[in-house]
Amino acid sequence: MKQKHALLVWTIAIGFMAVSIACERTVTNEITKTVTPATASYMGSSSCGSTGCHEAKYTEFMKTGHPYKLNEASDVQQAGYYPYSSVPTPPPGVNWADVDKVIGGFRWKARFIDNDGFIITGDQVQYNLETGGWVAYHSGETKPYDCGPCHMTNYKPVGNQEGKPGLIGTWEANGIQCEECHGPGEAHESDPLSVAMKIDRSNEGCGKCHIRGDVNAIPASGGFIRHHEQWNEMASSQHRALQCVDCHDVHESLHPLNPNRDQAINVNCENCHIKEYNTFQNTSITQHKADPNGPECIDCHMPKAAKSAIGDLATYSGDVPSHLFQINTDPSAEMFTADGKFANGYLTLDYSCLKCHSDKDKTWAAANVSRVHVEQTDISTSCFSCHSDKDVFLLAKGEQWQNSKHASGDNIDRNRNNKSFYAACEKCHTSEGFVANLAGGTATGDHFSSINCFTCHAPHTNGDFKLRVETPATLANGATFDKGPANLCASCHQSRQDASTYVTANTTLSAYWGPHHSNQADMLIGVNAYEYAGYSYGNSAHTNVTDEGCIQCHMDGGVPTFTGGHTWIMHDKTRNFQNTGGCNDPNCHNGSISDFNVLADVDFNGNGTIEGVQDEINSLADSLKVLLIAANLVDASGTPLSVTVTTADSAGAVYNFKFVEEDRSEGIHNTDYTVGLLKSSINFLNTGNPNGAPPLNSNGYSLRR
């Protein structure tokens, strides 16, 4: 084993102070949300847990690999230091007395740093945890430890840590600790309610380290993608619009020995890729059907095509899952460029299939891929196995439904498969849960579908297309919603909180505080927001003239497959088309409406100009938001802060802001009630009197509608 120490001169341009030249890393995305704390000192991760505030989060975080990127040799020798592994000895011929620090050791490999701060190089110096064997690392070279930008907390590319020539730069703490992502914690620890820690949910936060070179290329070596390139891969995939944290809970460990490993993933593939999941259940490959431990989505779409410590080209298996996802099923496709230095931005059949089917080739795999995902006989196809596909009625409804939010499966992840407490959400977020709830029970099994034809209709049970719900809906405050066929809609599209008791009993706010999403039934009939004593709230004409409620407008008029009907869409923004068919009924506006933002009759926001209804409403909502931010009740995005209010009336202003926001019609459903909620809340925050000073205009806010 050779080791050489040399005087190293490092010149770092000021414009690249945050970039590790050795690791070839760049940052190309911007932070999307940051709350910067006051200048403060670093307290250490243990401070986050020991105060009792974040003990559970800290405990789970310390089971991840982030804190163990660099470790003191004295710590590594302590039994139980790593949560799931151990590093038994230094390299052959090296004693612990010769080792100052250990790089890694948590999951894949461990390397060792000598007492001068240089990485120990040679033929048997890297310990691979999976095999328990020693391999070479840069034999005959001198390797300073210059990995600080991605392996340290509060790294600065100047000086030498502990004065050791091999340790390039200085840092606050070894490894990626809490404060590397959330900022220094002294001020927050002293006054947690007033000083917020940094919150960065952007890909830049993760990508500044999980990247190699330029984000638009995927470096490779030896037939595998090089490790820590998840951002490079994501940027070339169809998932590039997602944030890392959409799927990953960074505070939970993905280590295979973690019994709570499933909690590290926020959503499963099938939560979004519903069709693909269903077609895989119908695979014609009998081995996949018969084996309860058979392949899952990630086995094919996230194979271990990257290498950190070990890789076997004979089985196309590395040790780090790919984040490319897309499989190129052309048997002639190559995963890497001709020189092997870069990946082509997709997976090929050898890495996705032949790691298991080692006795086959890509030609065989290409001939069989159509058997993996098979269109099953379900909502989109089963009707036409009996009914003619010339049945225009069914075709039109099916096409419309395909373009709806119901069909997209938005929020179908609110079921027990994702989080156990989501079981209570199944009754509105899944078809099986809704139908079971109507029968007074809960869904059985663990397969859930999006809201579809059979959620609302039971044609094979009833012999017709009548709705499953026809009786009036009772809202959370006891009010009755009776709008004929729209009673079914109101079963779910309601706030699920009795505002008068909820606001009074819950004066400690949080990000989840307020009415449930989609409270359109409450808004339409003008009930169940926070109503200030002494203020007179009105309702617009829509409350009374819409005998069929939601159905009357959302399923009338428009383009057959993109608005109206079973799309329920009122505004197709892609085609700049507003579905005003219901508005222009001869018994309503009789053809006079061409834009939902119809001119108001009253200057609601008091700016001296009468504008469109939606513009007036949005202006009022913005004014209320400014006051709520100034009162330290919501953040810049309008999300309630974790504070305790002194009066229910203060909390009521937040509730009304969220009530209007969650309705999402910008005042169209019930203009007068919306204006009343916003104005009374604004007046209370401004003057302490919901009627304001001087009194509000008493015209009743009627519209020319």
Side-chain angles (χ1 to χ4, degrees), residues 596-661:
F596 295 135
N597 195 25
V598 61
L599 188 67
D601 277 351
V602 177
D603 179 17
F604 297 135
N605 61 13
N607 67 354
T609 303
I610 296 179
E611 301 158 300
V613 170
Q614 292 177 312
D615 291 337
E616 294 273 357
I617 295 295
N618 288 331
S619 177
L620 282 174
D622 289 342
S623 297
L624 177 54
K625 181 179 176 181
V626 169
L627 292 172
L628 292 172
I629 292 173
N632 198 35
L633 295 173
V634 304
D635 65 17
S637 70
T639 302
L641 295 170
S642 297
V643 296
T644 299
V645 297
T646 55
T647 68
D649 283 346
S650 296
V654 180
Y655 194 91
N656 288 344
F657 174 75
K658 299 303 292 183
F659 190 89
V660 172
E661 181 182 62

Side-chain angles (χ1 to χ4, degrees), residues 99 112 114 128 167 169 207 263 296 300 307 321 384 398 404 437 448 472 502 544 558 584 587 620 677 698:
V99 177
F112 300 80
D114 67 21
N128 289 343
L167 299 178
Q263 295 181 16
E296 298 180 352
C300 301
K307 174 186 173 183
F384 299 122
S404 74
N437 184 64
F448 296 98
Y502 177 84
N544 299 314
N584 289 317
N587 295 317
L620 282 174
L677 296 177
S698 59

Side-chain angles (χ1 to χ4, degrees), residues 159-229:
N160 301 90
Q161 185 78 356
E162 302 171 9
K164 297 179 179 180
L167 299 178
I168 307 303
T170 58
W171 50 86
E172 190 70 34
N174 292 340
I176 302 301
Q177 306 292 338
C178 305
E179 290 166 297
E180 172 61 19
C181 299
H182 293 292
E186 180 188 29
H188 176 72
E189 183 175 343
S190 300
D191 189 1
L193 293 180
S194 299
V195 180
M197 296 296 284
K198 181 174 72 171
I199 299 174
D200 178 8
R201 295 178 60 83
S202 72
N203 279 341
E204 189 277 341
C206 306
K208 68 180 182 180
C209 291
H210 289 271
I211 189 174
R212 188 186 297 271
D214 186 89
V215 73
N216 296 310
I218 307 170
S221 177
F224 293 100
I225 295 168
R226 300 177 70 183
H227 68 288
H228 65 58
E229 294 183 25

Side-chain angles (χ1 to χ4, degrees), residues 457-470:
H457 304 279
H460 299 113
T461 300
N462 299 328
D464 55 30
F465 284 98
K466 72 178 181 181
L467 299 173
R468 288 185 184 271
V469 175
E470 296 181 332

